[in-house]
Amino acid sequence: MTLPTQNVIAEPQQLVKMTYREGMRQAIREAILRDERCFLMGADVGRYGGCFAVSKGLFDEFGPEKIRDMPLSESAIAGIGIGACMNGMRPIVEIMTVNFSLLALDQILNTAASYLHMSGGTFNVPVVIRMATGSGRQLGAQHAHSLEGWYAHIPGIKILAPGTVEDMRGMLWPALEDPDPVLIFEQQVMYNMTEMVPATPQPMDIDHAKVRRPGKDVTLITYGSCLPKSMKAAEELAQEDIDTEVIDLRTLRPLDNDTIFGSVAKTHRVLIVEEGWRSGSLAAEISARIMENLFYDLDRPVDRLCSAEIPMPYSKHMEEAAVPQPETIAAAVRKLVQ
Amino acid sequence: MSEFKMPSLGADMDAGTLVEWKRKSGDPVKRGDIIAAVETAKGVIEIECFEDGILDEIFFQAGQDVPVGQVLATISSEAEFRQKASTPKVAESVKAPEAAVAEPAKPAAQVVQEAMKAAIAQPSATPATSDRVKISPLARRVAEDLGVDLATVQGTGPGGSIQRSDIERAAQAKKAAPPEPVKAPEPVAARPQEVAPTAPPVERAAPPPVEAKAEPVPEVKKPTDFQSAMRAAIAAAMGKSNREIPHYYMETSIDMTKALAWLEEENAKRTIRDRLLPVVVLLKAVAKSLAEVPELNGFWIDGQHQVSESINIGFAINLRQGGLITPAIHDVDMKSMDELRDAVNDLITRTRSNKLRSSELTDATIVVTSLGDRGVEKVFGVIYPPQVALVGLGKITEQPWAENGTLSVRKVLTATLAGDHRATDGHKGGLFLEALNRNLQEVEKL
């Protein structure tokens, strides 16, 4: 994967306004232009422009060879993508939502994540699979769950969860460069979110969490759509003299222990916020790691704020009530510091 | 200088057990501050102070049983306190020792005392940790680093747990204090965890004479279960009521169709959190009706009928572990529906977690018992003395309803009134139920 990197210029960056959706669209464009082995495949990604309109316009620009509509079979889509990778291509596989990806779980777990091991290190699977996740758009109990925590359970794959436009724009290329399977979880509620980002893409680190807001009183660990909510809560808490450090995990597997532990060792109090169900959640794993490694640094038990353990409701107010919100996040932090 | 006395937290209370001082001698206190916690059959109640000043002398320590009316501590003005501090102490605490000896207990009082002892036997919701110091791992580490003795530290975290800030404060205090041997604050010595958990229970016929400033003797409380203690307290109050109060009863059926329709429409405009439950509307209607018939809102004390100006509704709350408490919602007639909803939610939560304030236990002027959507259609209550009335609200059910010569199905609430015939007559009771009915037909005006 030695590719031209001339378009990454060292000059001071000009900032442009971009949506989360446009971030991924540009990333796909740039990847296809950069690497001739690269193409997008999935259900309705071509003529229709993608069910969340992420690939809108790309079919006209690149044609059916590069933007490939697939039959509506998640298992087949993932399987073909994996096969293409093993034969030298670099497909970007799109699955509509994480709920549908369960139909492709066999391919993801039994093939993509296991092949390097089963072939004695001979065949790696550099596939990239993107899918939408999370609630917030009234898509009901079959389209709105956050199951990335389940995937983060699987050894052999890397899990990315962009929570900013810049990450959305920048994470795809390093994911394609990774020799092993990478899953990218895009927050469907954030596709319209806009942010100022550098006009040309910057080299992106996908191995570390980021401190999005430094603070000294409490560590708030989160990712994805709970990141902007947590930032909002942190600003509100700052008015009350509660200084919250917000960590964006960015990569859910492997977890960046160093950033998490460094922050907890400083604040001694932790709240983990995520949209997954609480029992057996990613938050549970992070909590366990903190307890295993930093027990003598904790001034309070680690606290978690997760989704209500129910199928995602359709009604707007109930959907909102089921997942963490800035107010509930702020309330949980207040309880931790009182 | 004024005296801070053990308050009476209900007609059935003769004594309470001091659980802890929230302030120590020398601390400034303000009216409304919580300065102590007292255990009664109704759980741990936080005691407010009614004066500004300095908490001066403290006569009792945590763990001691104190009769109602006994002086717990004195509150001095700043000048008095400074003056006293500069003159050598000659005779301290004049009245506490002798007076503190409990009078021979009446049978009912004994019941209540037993109840209180039982309540003390379960000091927290997590009995398994009672012999352990609750401390965060970080605080324990810091305490070791700074050489702080944990027995000298009072925790301020959840459930009295010790956090790092408590250790740091204790370490600073140690540095500031003269190098004489540091005496552990007494409340700590009297904490339940100091009691050997396996020690045999000690039977006590009457509370031992209490000496002021005495080193507290750790007491092993008789392990009685909380339910039976609560039961005994309810038995005492209700027994007294039926012995002394000549009850009269009346009931009326109220068509709730309009009120519920209004509620539904109102709630459609609100977020889930802001929605109103029928009980909020009912309480509001009761308060408005009481304003129209004030004679039912008050007390019968020493042969005198006292009408209360404020309408503080004691709201009957069932406890999950059994038993019943009727804490007061203050000034219901002055509260908006939203304020009332928040007050009810707050009260239920705090009642069930044993966090009531003393004023909430003593200030009720009438009790409302509402069965909500469970239970039966009618409830005839027993008045909580010294109050003079109790309103019972049954389950709202669909009933055949005759009006203007036609029959239809309506949502019907049966409201009952138990009145004290010494204070009021049936006529007043009838006026009240009539007013309640009227007010519930125009809930939008409440």
Side-chain angles (χ1 to χ4, degrees):
Chain A
M1 272 255 180
T2 48
L3 283 153
T5 48
Q6 300 93 298
N7 58 348
V8 180
I9 35 176
E11 279 168 25
Q13 279 298 316
Q14 214 190 332
L15 294 180
V16 294
K17 200 170 180 181
M18 191 178 281
T19 62
Y20 190 77
R21 171 187 289 113
E22 181 68 19
M24 180 50 77
R25 184 186 297 140
Q26 290 304 326
I28 295 169
R29 274 191 78 242
E30 285 148 11
I32 291 172
L33 291 170
R34 246 176 165 179
D35 185 343
E36 59 174 9
R37 299 170 302 171
C38 191
F39 62 93
L40 176 69
M41 57 183 286
D44 285 337
V45 298
R47 285 170 182 82
Y48 181 66
C51 74
F52 292 103
V54 169
S55 52
K56 208 168 188 66
L58 296 183
F59 184 84
D60 292 339
E61 186 176 355
F62 294 111
E65 281 271 299
K66 292 288 186 185
I67 309 295
R68 288 174 171 261
D69 276 322
M70 301 295 291
L72 189 50
S73 163
E74 283 75 12
S75 178
I77 297 169
I80 292 167
I82 290 164
C85 280
M86 293 170 70
N87 286 283
M89 302 302 281
R90 286 295 180 272
I92 302 162
V93 178
E94 179 180 303
I95 290 173
M96 285 182 185
T97 76
V98 66
N99 281 79
F100 302 159
S101 79
L102 301 185
L103 291 158
L105 191 51
D106 170 54
Q107 289 295 340
I108 295 171
L109 169 58
N110 288 328
T111 307
S114 307
Y115 230 72
L116 183 66
H117 166 79
M118 294 197 303
S119 65
T122 310
F123 300 113
N124 61 314
V125 184
V127 72
V128 171
I129 304 176
R130 305 169 37 237
M131 60 189 91
T133 187
S135 70
R137 292 175 51 126
Q138 282 196 267
L139 295 175
Q142 294 178 320
H143 305 72
H145 289 131
S146 295
L147 306 179
E148 50 273 20
W150 288 2
Y151 284 102
H153 182 65
I154 304 172
I157 56 181
K158 184 172 273 181
I159 309 292
L160 307 181
T164 64
V165 176
E166 191 178 3
D167 273 357
M168 187 69 151
R169 171 90 175 278
M171 279 180 154
L172 180 66
W173 183 250
L176 286 164
E177 282 187 306
D178 196 289
D180 295 311
V182 178
L183 268 54
I184 303 179
F185 287 89
E186 303 169 18
Q187 300 290 333
Q188 53 193 23
V189 74
M190 285 167 46
Y191 277 120
N192 288 328
M193 181 182 82
T194 55
E195 270 173 23
M196 300 302 289
V197 295
T200 48
Q202 304 294 296
M204 177 72 71
D205 157 26
I206 55 168
D207 296 316
H208 295 94
K210 264 193 188 150
V211 175
R212 296 287 183 196
R213 184 188 190 285
K216 62 174 173 36
D217 293 334
V218 62
T219 297
L220 201 165
I221 301 169
T222 188
Y223 70 88
S225 63
C226 288
L227 174 66
K229 291 176 180 175
S230 296
M231 295 297 281
K232 198 173 163 209
E235 290 313 319
E236 190 187 318
L237 291 161
Q239 309 291 316
E240 307 164 25
D241 250 54
I242 298 170
D243 196 5
T244 312
E245 178 150 297
V246 180
I247 293 181
D248 175 9
L249 289 171
R250 301 175 72 242
T251 301
L252 309 186
R253 184 185 186 96
L255 282 169
D256 177 9
N257 287 345
D258 292 345
T259 302
I260 295 170
F261 296 170
S263 176
V264 176
K266 182 172 74 171
T267 62
H268 311 290
R269 290 165 195 228
V270 194
L271 173 69
I272 307 162
V273 180
E274 66 151 310
E275 239 189 66
W277 291 305
R278 183 183 177 94
S279 302
S281 59
L282 191 67
E285 169 63 22
I286 296 168
S287 170
R289 289 185 187 204
I290 292 169
M291 190 276 292
E292 286 160 349
N293 292 277
L294 289 170
F295 184 72
Y296 297 103
D297 274 293
L298 289 175
D299 207 16
R300 280 291 177 89
V302 173
D303 199 8
R304 292 182 283 157
L305 186 63
C306 305
S307 278
E309 301 212 1
I310 49 171
M312 190 59 73
Y314 168 79
S315 318
K316 191 171 190 319
H317 62 289
M318 288 174 73
E319 187 181 36
E320 283 170 1
V323 301
Q325 298 295 351
E327 307 82 64
T328 54
I329 295 170
V333 171
R334 277 185 208 109
K335 226 177 84 193
L336 260 181
V337 297
Q338 76 189 358
Chain B
M1 191 182 78
S2 66
E3 292 170 337
F4 177 67
K5 293 177 182 166
M6 172 65 80
S8 168
L9 303 170
D12 50 357
M13 172 172 163
D14 293 329
T17 307
L18 187 62
V19 175
E20 73 167 307
W21 284 104
K22 303 274 189 190
R23 303 295 179 86
K24 54 184 193 310
S25 177
D27 281 357
V29 293
K30 278 205 308 291
R31 183 184 163 86
D33 282 358
I34 307 249
I35 66 177
V38 167
E39 180 98 38
T40 73
K42 289 167 179 166
V44 176
I45 311 294
E46 296 179 325
I47 306 295
E48 299 150 75
C49 128
F50 292 92
E51 234 139 336
D52 294 352
I54 309 267
L55 188 61
D56 195 339
E57 274 187 275
I58 288 179
F59 299 123
F60 291 90
Q61 302 304 336
Q64 291 183 305
D65 288 336
V66 184
V68 166
Q70 189 60 55
V71 179
L72 288 166
T74 55
I75 294 171
S76 303
S77 70
E78 215 172 304
E80 283 171 336
F81 185 76
R82 252 187 280 121
Q83 194 190 354
K84 244 180 82 181
S86 58
T87 53
K89 281 186 194 173
V90 203
E92 48 183 36
S93 68
V94 202
K95 46 187 88 66
E98 302 83 15
V101 181
E103 287 145 42
K106 293 171 290 204
Q110 206 160 22
V111 169
V112 175
Q113 286 213 339
E114 286 296 313
M116 280 181 293
K117 272 191 275 170
I120 263 276
Q122 27 178 269
S124 73
T126 50
T129 62
S130 62
D131 57 340
R132 288 178 57 86
V133 178
K134 263 198 201 165
I135 177 169
S136 82
L138 176 67
R140 192 181 284 281
R141 198 188 76 193
V142 173
E144 275 169 28
D145 290 350
L146 298 176
V148 172
D149 177 7
L150 295 182
T152 66
V153 180
Q154 193 81 331
T156 62
S161 59
I162 300 173
Q163 335 187 80
R164 180 178 57 169
S165 57
D166 301 325
I167 300 291
E168 287 168 347
R169 215 174 299 123
Q172 282 206 329
K174 203 173 91 170
K175 235 194 281 170
E180 284 144 39
V182 180
K183 201 175 125 206
E186 280 141 354
V188 173
R191 273 202 225 152
Q193 59 255 42
E194 299 289 324
V195 179
T198 50
V202 176
E203 288 281 352
R204 264 189 320 114
V210 178
E211 289 165 39
K213 302 264 166 169
E215 283 298 318
V217 183
E219 281 171 16
V220 180
K221 298 291 176 184
K222 191 179 161 194
T224 321
D225 71 322
F226 188 66
Q227 273 111 313
S228 60
M230 172 76 68
R231 218 48 268 159
I234 295 172
M238 294 297 101
K240 180 180 162 72
S241 175
N242 254 17
R243 273 194 308 276
E244 294 178 7
I245 302 180
H247 286 65
Y248 67 85
Y249 289 103
M250 39 190 43
E251 71 170 77
T252 190
S253 295
I254 299 176
D255 178 5
M256 289 293 288
T257 311
K258 262 203 255 170
L260 292 176
W262 176 85
L263 199 60
E264 197 175 326
E265 197 184 310
E266 183 65 24
N267 279 338
K269 292 183 254 172
R270 293 162 172 262
T271 64
I272 286 195
R273 216 179 4 184
D274 292 340
R275 289 198 179 154
L276 301 172
L277 286 172
V279 68
V280 171
V281 176
L282 291 171
L283 285 173
K284 191 72 193 157
V286 167
K288 194 171 180 203
S289 310
L290 283 173
E292 293 175 38
V293 189
E295 290 84 354
L296 296 175
N297 183 55
F299 310 106
W300 182 268
I301 297 171
D302 298 332
Q304 294 284 323
H305 182 199
Q306 301 172 2
V307 174
S308 166
E309 267 174 34
S310 35
I311 298 176
N312 304 331
I313 296 184
F315 185 59
I317 297 174
N318 278 302
L319 299 183
R320 292 198 182 92
Q321 67 268 33
L324 177 77
I325 290 184
T326 55
I329 306 170
H330 288 93
D331 301 314
V332 176
D333 51 327
M334 316 292 279
K335 285 188 163 65
S336 70
M337 292 266 196
D338 291 284
E339 287 165 346
L340 194 53
R341 175 204 57 226
D342 291 343
V344 171
N345 286 345
D346 175 54
L347 202 61
I348 291 173
T349 317
R350 284 190 297 113
T351 301
R352 297 206 163 132
S353 56
N354 264 343
K355 293 226 174 77
L356 289 173
R357 295 180 140 225
S358 46
S359 59
E360 286 164 344
L361 276 184
T362 51
D363 290 358
T365 54
I366 188 168
V367 165
V368 169
T369 178
S370 167
L371 300 180
D373 49 5
R374 271 178 282 183
V376 295
E377 288 162 27
K378 295 175 194 171
V379 52
F380 296 96
V382 178
I383 298 169
Y384 187 67
Q387 294 163 21
V388 295
L390 181 145
V391 178
L393 304 170
K395 175 170 71 169
I396 300 173
T397 56
E398 290 201 332
Q399 301 276 346
W401 187 268
E403 196 176 83
N404 298 329
T406 42
L407 203 55
S408 57
V409 174
R410 302 283 173 87
K411 288 172 178 151
V412 176
L413 165 79
T414 304
T416 65
L417 176 79
D420 182 341
H421 220 320
R422 297 171 304 180
T424 62
D425 306 319
H427 176 63
K428 285 287 174 208
L431 286 179
F432 168 78
L433 288 178
E434 217 175 279
L436 184 61
N437 188 358
R438 180 166 25 80
N439 287 322
L440 282 170
Q441 300 315 315
E442 13 190 69
V443 283
E444 66 282 354
K445 291 189 191 159
L446 287 176

